[in-house]
């Protein structure tokens, strides 16, 4: 069970709201003096070795040296020491989603500690996630694994190893419903688990209204995903009036960059030259996440819009680099090297708090 002491309402830190700034439009700027925000050799406490490209066979690290410059505003320079937590004083920041959400969580922990050991943070590994509290500012950062964002209910509780799960497309994950009142900032994401292979591999059966979904049209993956994301966002929007301090975000999809095949058919992302696709994201032509944008439209849930920005960064994935030289030829063109692109997602998030 998750046990976080109920959070009190910390002093409201006023954020400078730059009216009209669209953080999703701008350009990547090389700035090796100020990037990366932490060392991939140092952040051992929070950064999974499998995502720390400095620990792999990779020899090219130019992907670490870029920062995002929005078109019409500045992102305040990130201060890589704990004082930058001041604006997070007393707050609980929750990231809930799939492994890309976990990458964003690890990135945030590394950013906030500068990648250094931080004995002043205490926390614990929980079933399905992690939670840490920084005592200096009483800030709690947590990650909870929920790949679909919807409730998963074991159908045979006496057989935990082999049970199938009702995947309730119209019910938010139980963790969200239970703990929504404790979050000051909530960032949701989902996306890459919405395919037949993952859904059947996980033994998930789609349910709506508490009953198995028989409507085949609705059970099409893209429709079921859209229906679920809309349901979760609508529910979250309905919660905001009861939790006025909550700032809720849906992170748009993190792009994959497999070329010449998919992950299981020889696809790769071998390019290491940054920004061959251009440095700019402008209106028109931007590869935005229409599903996520549609889901939050007209609600109090905001879009953490990182899709088009990240689309330009095909060189910054794990690719086929691994901890040992004799890799199995696995290509990961989905997850990102850290430090790397998810750091920018967090800078954009922090800019909007
Ligand atoms: C720290 O935060 C927790 C929960 O977020 C709260 O219960 C506690 O009172 C806070 N402590 C201080 C010293 O502000
Ligand atoms: C649930 O699992 C148990 C243990 O494997 C099995 O004996 C039982 O038949 C299962 N129940 C159903 C309804 O499938
Ligand atoms: C997604 O779901 C919403 C709400 O049910 C609907 O209005 C919209 O048309 C759907 N979009 C797609 C692409 O199916
Ligand atoms: C990774 O891929 C590149 C180009 O596709 C290839 O030259 C290299 O040998 C691969 N490395 C490993 C460890 O498989």
């Amino acid at each position: 069970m998750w046990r976080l002491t109920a959070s009190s309402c910390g002093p409201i830190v006023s954020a400078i709201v730059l009216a009209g700034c669209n953080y999703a439009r701008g350009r990547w700027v090389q700035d090796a003096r100020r990037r990366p925000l932490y060392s991939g050799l140092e952040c051992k406490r929070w950064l999974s070795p499998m995502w720390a490209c400095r620990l792999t066979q990779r020899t090219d690290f130019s992907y670490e040296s870029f920062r995002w410059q929005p078109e019409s505003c500045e992102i305040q320079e990130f201060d890589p020491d704990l004082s930058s937590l001041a604006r997070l004083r007393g707050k609980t920041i929750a990231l809930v989603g799939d492994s890309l959400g976990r990458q964003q969580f690890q990135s945030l922990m590394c950013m906030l500690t500068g990648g250094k050991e931080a004995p002043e943070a205490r926390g614990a590994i929980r079933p399905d996630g992690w939670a840490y509290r920084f005592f200096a500012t009483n800030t709690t950062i947590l990650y909870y694994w929920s790949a679909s964002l919807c409730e998963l209910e074991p159908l045979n509780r006496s057989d935990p190893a082999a049970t199938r799960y009702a995947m309730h497309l119209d019910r938010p994950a139980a963790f969200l419903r239970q703990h929504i009142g404790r979050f000051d900032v909530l960032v949701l994401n989902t996306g890459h688990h919405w395919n037949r292979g993952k859904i059947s591999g996980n033994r998930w059966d789609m349910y709506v209204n508490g009953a198995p979904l028989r409507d085949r049209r609705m059970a099409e993956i893209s429709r079921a995903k859209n229906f679920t994301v809309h349901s979760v966002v609508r529910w979250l929007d309905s919660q905001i009036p009861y939790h006025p301090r909550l700032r809720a975000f849906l992170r748009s999809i993190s792009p994959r960059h497999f070329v010449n095949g998919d992950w299981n058919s020889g696809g790769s992302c071998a390019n290491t030259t940054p920004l061959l696709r251009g440095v700019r994201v402008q209106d028109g032509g931007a590869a935005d996440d229409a599903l996520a944008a549609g889901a939050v439209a007209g609600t109090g849930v905001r879009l953490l819009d990182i899709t088009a920005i990240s689309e330009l960064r095909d060189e910054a994935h794990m690719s086929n680099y691994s901890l040992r030289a004799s890799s199995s030829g696995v290509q990961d063109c989905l997850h990102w090297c850290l430090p790397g692109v998810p750091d920018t997602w967090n800078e954009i998030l922090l800019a909007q708090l």
Side-chain angles (χ1 to χ4, degrees):
M1 253 328 280
W2 283 74
R3 253 178 245 285
L4 295 176
T5 351
S7 69
S8 68
C9 196
I12 313 274
V13 179
S14 57
I16 302 163
V17 177
L18 294 155
C21 182
N22 182 352
Y23 292 95
R25 300 289 179 263
R27 68 200 151 91
W28 287 104
V29 177
Q30 189 151 32
D31 190 350
R33 194 175 57 82
R34 294 192 292 173
R35 293 294 178 282
L37 294 170
Y38 53 91
S39 162
L41 295 171
E42 282 183 347
C43 191
K44 293 201 187 324
R45 179 146 176 213
W46 290 291
L47 181 51
S48 298
M50 63 181 171
W51 292 331
C53 287
R54 286 274 177 181
L55 303 180
T56 69
Q57 304 299 307
R58 187 164 182 149
T59 53
D60 177 276
F61 301 103
S62 54
Y63 68 87
E64 286 187 347
S65 64
F66 293 89
R67 66 179 171 82
W68 179 250
Q69 174 65 61
E71 206 163 76
S72 50
C73 56
E74 296 296 320
I75 293 182
Q76 197 189 342
E77 183 56 22
F78 185 81
D79 181 358
D81 84 31
L82 281 172
S83 67
S84 59
L85 272 171
R87 79 164 84 168
L88 302 181
R89 189 170 288 278
K91 294 193 172 169
T92 296
I93 319 299
L95 295 125
V96 177
D98 61 21
S99 56
L100 278 306
R102 187 175 162 209
Q103 286 214 294
Q104 190 178 351
F105 164 75
Q106 294 191 359
S107 156
L108 186 58
M109 292 303 288
C110 292
M111 287 167 67
L112 294 174
T113 58
K116 306 282 194 258
E117 286 294 316
E120 59 278 13
R122 270 256 296 281
I125 297 168
R126 307 287 181 184
D128 298 320
W130 291 263
Y132 291 96
R133 177 165 297 155
F134 292 92
F135 293 126
T137 55
N138 210 22
T139 301
T140 302
I141 314 273
L142 69 89
Y143 164 73
Y144 182 80
W145 168 264
S146 173
S148 66
L149 299 180
C150 61
E151 183 184 329
L152 296 170
E153 182 194 9
L155 289 169
N156 184 350
R157 289 187 192 276
S158 57
D159 191 9
T163 183
R164 301 192 65 80
Y165 293 84
M167 179 190 197
H168 293 285
L169 305 186
D170 50 355
R171 297 185 196 161
F175 178 83
L176 289 172
R177 287 188 277 121
Q178 282 158 16
H179 298 293
I180 185 76
R182 296 172 168 195
F183 306 147
D184 298 274
V185 179
L186 173 62
V187 183
L188 300 178
N189 89 278
T190 187
H192 297 290
H193 286 252
W194 290 91
N195 60 66
R196 286 281 161 220
K198 293 259 196 224
I199 289 176
S200 67
N202 289 328
R203 304 190 300 274
W204 291 346
D205 297 329
M206 293 182 188
Y207 274 57
V208 170
N209 282 327
L213 179 58
R214 308 256 180 244
D215 179 339
R216 299 188 75 133
R217 207 172 100 90
M218 195 176 160
E220 280 168 28
I221 299 288
S222 63
R223 271 178 217 282
K225 173 182 170 187
N226 180 57
F227 177 80
T228 301
V229 173
H230 275 260
S231 301
V232 171
V233 167
R234 264 200 308 270
W235 169 78
L236 194 49
D237 186 46
S238 77
Q239 292 296 305
I240 291 173
Y242 303 106
H243 309 290
R245 69 203 167 100
L246 175 66
R247 293 182 176 240
F249 294 84
L250 174 66
R251 181 173 59 60
S252 66
I253 193 133
S254 172
R256 300 152 25 111
H257 288 99
F258 290 96
V259 293
N260 300 324
D262 208 336
W263 66 275
N264 55 358
S265 57
S268 63
C269 44
N271 170 44
T272 54
T273 308
L275 299 164
L276 290 180
R277 298 168 183 230
V279 301
R280 247 172 229 288
V281 176
Q282 290 169 299
D283 282 335
D288 293 322
D289 179 348
L291 189 157
V296 302
T299 74
V301 179
R302 291 193 281 173
L303 191 64
L304 178 55
D305 188 357
I306 55 83
T307 303
I309 290 171
S310 309
E311 183 64 40
L312 297 178
R313 300 301 308 278
D314 65 302
E315 93 292 8
H317 289 287
M318 299 307 303
S319 184
N320 66 348
Y321 303 105
S322 57
L323 294 173
R324 274 172 290 278
S326 58
S327 92
S328 49
V330 171
Q331 295 279 348
D332 185 347
C333 305
L334 169 62
H335 297 104
W336 306 93
C337 288
L338 291 176
V341 170
D343 305 341
T344 295
W345 306 348
N346 282 322
E347 291 185 276
I348 294 173
L349 171 66
L350 294 172
Q352 293 181 75
L353 297 183

